[in-house]
Structure formats: structure tokens, C-alpha cells
Amino acid sequence: MTKRVGMEVSIAVAEAVKLADVDVVAVYPITPQTHVVEHIADLVVDGELDAEYIPVESEHSALSACLGSAATGARTFTATASQGLELMQETLYVASGMRLPIVMVVANRAVSAPLSIWGDHSDVMTVRDSGWIQIFNENGQEMVDNTICAFRIAENQQVLLPVMVHMDGFNLSHVIEPILLPDEEQVKAFLPTNNYPLPLHPSKPVAMGDFAPPFIFTEARWAHEEALRNSKRTIVEVWDVFAKEFGRQYKPVESYRTEGAKTLLLTMGSFSETAMTAVDKIREEGLSVGLIRLRLWRPFPFEELREALQGIDTLIVLDRALSTGGPGGPVASEVRAALYSQNPRPQIVSFVGGLGGRDITVENFETIIKRGMEIAKSGSDKEFQMFGVRE
């Protein structure tokens, strides 16, 4: 029976991994994801999860161990954050290029220097081109649900790609929330047995990740690109099945109070819920404003985004990462690219804020929205607006 419990989100994620009945967990601790893998260790030691738990000497080694376990057909999980994700860079590309269905939770955190253990999206933006499916979440319930969904997506034989499940460090990872933990039998029925089609085995040798000379490398990259783009179909199907079984629906692009709105704010991650309150307050003032949230970061939801933005005049994009020396926020840049061929297309106003754990309050979001509307009318000599910086 499904039960509602008050639980730290990181602990709830570990419980979701248990419900998925993983075979191998290879990990290295780093703030703010450590509570996830600490609790998984407790579950293994207490006999609640029958899995091989591999504590390694670095994040690079953690994902390297995952490569081997996933290649044998074992259901495989890991987790990391920030500098740990950067240390995995080399193996991130190996995992996706070899089509290994690994699931990894990333507790998003600022990248040094200066050293920060607090949350923003600078870590994930450095690996956006690593070929992984990437899903953003706003609260603990979404983290539980999408951790479970991630295994079904990754292991689908039409997909066979690794999946990152993102949660904001501290703002989400260390918060206690009421969460519906699915029933074990429900999850078992929803999540098929992993049946990896080309497992490594001594009795049937296969070659994986071979050397690719120039005459084949481009074709290999294009095959990977097509696989990642085509995975969106399966992702949506899995979310639809999950909605039927568990009653909670997820979509690549999700809307809040967009009816009749000519100005929309676009966000990703846990700050979206704060932004909803700001939208409510501005609506009470008589301004027609709504919110768009990107849940699916990779593959990028071009069609869904274009459809969601039809008929609007202004799109205000809040990034929690800075494309240093570039046009500002990486999400805003990609949204501009996605809408470039559209006619008419909304005016896009880019804000960067919430870096290194800096809070953005309801009042701050009201300011961002109203300032964005002013810029849309009068223009600005800046490529983007740095919100909240003390000059």
C-alpha cells in the first residue's frame, strides 16, 4: 500500500533506489548528495537491499565501476554533485557512447572556485553535451517518481542510454517533505527486469567501446544523436504509464497559469515552486503572467516548448548558471536557438541569478518578472541581467 511519510528528500531517493531493486551501487561521497548513498549503504547492510555496494576512491572510479556493471546487464546506480560530476567528465561520455543504462542522481551544486557547497546549476550545464538523458525536478515526490521512471527509460531497448535525475542541492536534497512512497509490488509491476541485449560474459565475448577511426566516428556520433532525440518518445510513454499506475503526470514542458498570458517566466528545478507564488501574486494585481518549467533538459523538448510559447509576447528566462564570457544563461541561449526559426517569436529576456545558493524569494521573482516586462518594452544594452549582484 502507498504510504505518505515525512522524509528528507535524499533519504526518499535512496528508498526509491531500493524499490527499483538495483544490483550494483558504486559511489563516492560529496556534499550535498552524500545522504543518498549513506542511506543506501544502510539499506544494504541491514539486508533491505540485495545489492553490491562499491565504495571507491573517486567519482571517476565510481562511474568507471558503473560502466563495468551496466555492461554485464546489472541494474546500476550512482550519485554525485558539482566537482564530482566534473571528475566524471571522461567517463560520462563513455557511458552514453557505449549505450549503458546507468541511472545517476545529481544534487546540483556550484562549481569552484571560489569553493561553494551550495546549490546552483553550473555543474549540470558543463555536462549538457555528454549524451545523457537529463530530467529536472521541483520537489521530493518528483525525485522519487523520476528516479523510478529513470530505470524504465534507461533500460528500454529502444533507448539504452544513461539518465541523470537532477535535484537542487540543499534547497531540495536536505529538505524534509511529505512524500508518497510507492508500494513495492506496484514498482515491481511497473519496472520490468533489466534485459540488456549485449551483456559482457566470458562465454560469449563481445567488443564494446572500440577504437573508431575517422571514417566511422561521425556515423557513431550521429547514431548517438538520433538515439538521444528518439528517446523522448519513450520518456513520454513511460511518464504516461506512470500516470496511469500512480496518478502523477509528468511532461517534458509543464505550465502553470499560462491561460491568456502574454508574458511567461521560464524556470528549472526547485525554484519553480517559489516562482508559482510570485505568479499568483502578480495575477492578483491584474497582470496576465504565467510560468513555464523545463522538466526534460536532454533531449531538448523543441516541439513542446514551441507549442507552449505560441501566442506570447515576452519570455523571461531565469538561469541558475552563467555562461562565462558568453551571452549569459545557457538555458536562455538554447531557448533562443529553439525559437529562432519561429515567426512570430516572443522577445526573450535573460536573467541569471541564484548562484552559489543565493536565495531568490517570492518578492525577487516579482521583481524579475516586472523588470523583464520593462526590458521587453524599452530594451537593454546588456545581453543579460545579473540579478541580485552587489556592485
Side-chain angles (χ1 to χ4, degrees), residues 63 92 95-96 102 104 130-134 162-164 228 298:
L63 192 53
L92 288 174
S96 60
I102 300 162
M104 174 162 62
S130 59
W132 287 55
I133 294 168
Q134 299 192 42
V163 180
M164 290 186 202
L228 185 56
R298 285 294 187 274

Side-chain angles (χ1 to χ4, degrees), residues 3-4 16 37 51 54 84 88 138 147 157 167 175 180 204 227 231 254 274 284 297 306 354 379:
K3 57 182 178 180
R4 186 183 298 274
V37 296
I54 311 173
M88 287 180 175
E138 299 166 15
T147 298
Q157 294 197 18
M167 65 174 170
V175 172
L180 290 169
K204 190 179 180 181
S231 71
E254 297 178 5
T274 306
E284 289 173 2
W297 177 231
R306 289 165 182 159

Side-chain angles (χ1 to χ4, degrees), residues 90-276:
E90 177 187 2
T91 41
L92 288 174
Y93 289 84
V94 178
S96 60
M98 290 174 62
R99 308 286 298 275
L100 299 173
I102 300 162
V103 171
M104 174 162 62
V105 164
V106 180
N108 301 118
R109 171 189 140 185
V111 175
S112 302
L115 176 64
S116 171
I117 63 168
W118 300 96
D120 67 22
H121 294 164
S122 56
D123 55 359
V124 59
M125 293 305 161
T126 67
V127 300
R128 59 180 171 170
D129 298 327
S130 59
W132 287 55
I133 294 168
Q134 299 192 42
I135 300 168
F136 270 81
N137 298 280
E138 299 166 15
N139 56 50
Q141 188 66 62
E142 294 178 0
M143 279 302 303
V144 168
D145 295 348
N146 279 306
T147 298
I148 293 168
C149 286
F151 288 101
R152 179 161 173 161
I153 292 166
E155 295 167 2
N156 184 293
Q157 294 197 18
Q158 300 301 312
V159 177
L160 294 179
L161 286 167
V163 180
M164 290 186 202
V165 186
H166 293 287
M167 65 174 170
D168 289 344
F170 289 105
N171 291 85
L172 193 51
S173 64
H174 284 58
V175 172
I176 295 174
E177 294 186 353
I179 294 171
L180 290 169
L181 280 180
D183 178 76
E184 184 177 348
E185 292 303 314
Q186 270 189 299
V187 175
K188 189 174 181 180
F190 171 77
L191 191 55
T193 301
N194 184 19
N195 188 23
Y196 189 65
L198 294 170
L200 291 176
H201 196 279
S203 65
K204 190 179 180 181
V206 296
M208 302 182 74
D210 290 3
F211 174 74
F215 78 88
I216 196 64
F217 190 86
T218 299
E219 287 72 18
R221 280 288 186 226
W222 182 242
H224 186 177
E225 169 70 11
E226 286 192 309
L228 185 56
R229 285 179 180 267
N230 291 337
S231 71
K232 181 155 68 73
R233 185 184 307 111
T234 300
I235 295 167
V236 171
E237 289 173 357
V238 169
W239 280 338
D240 287 345
V241 173
F242 186 89
K244 291 176 182 177
E245 296 295 326
F246 297 92
R248 293 181 292 278
Q249 179 74 62
Y250 299 103
K251 297 180 180 179
V253 177
E254 297 178 5
S255 306
Y256 180 74
R257 300 197 71 176
T258 58
E259 61 282 355
K262 291 298 183 180
T263 297
L264 298 181
L265 173 67
L266 186 149
T267 56
M268 293 167 65
S270 64
F271 278 22
S272 298
E273 295 192 334
T274 306
M276 290 178 190

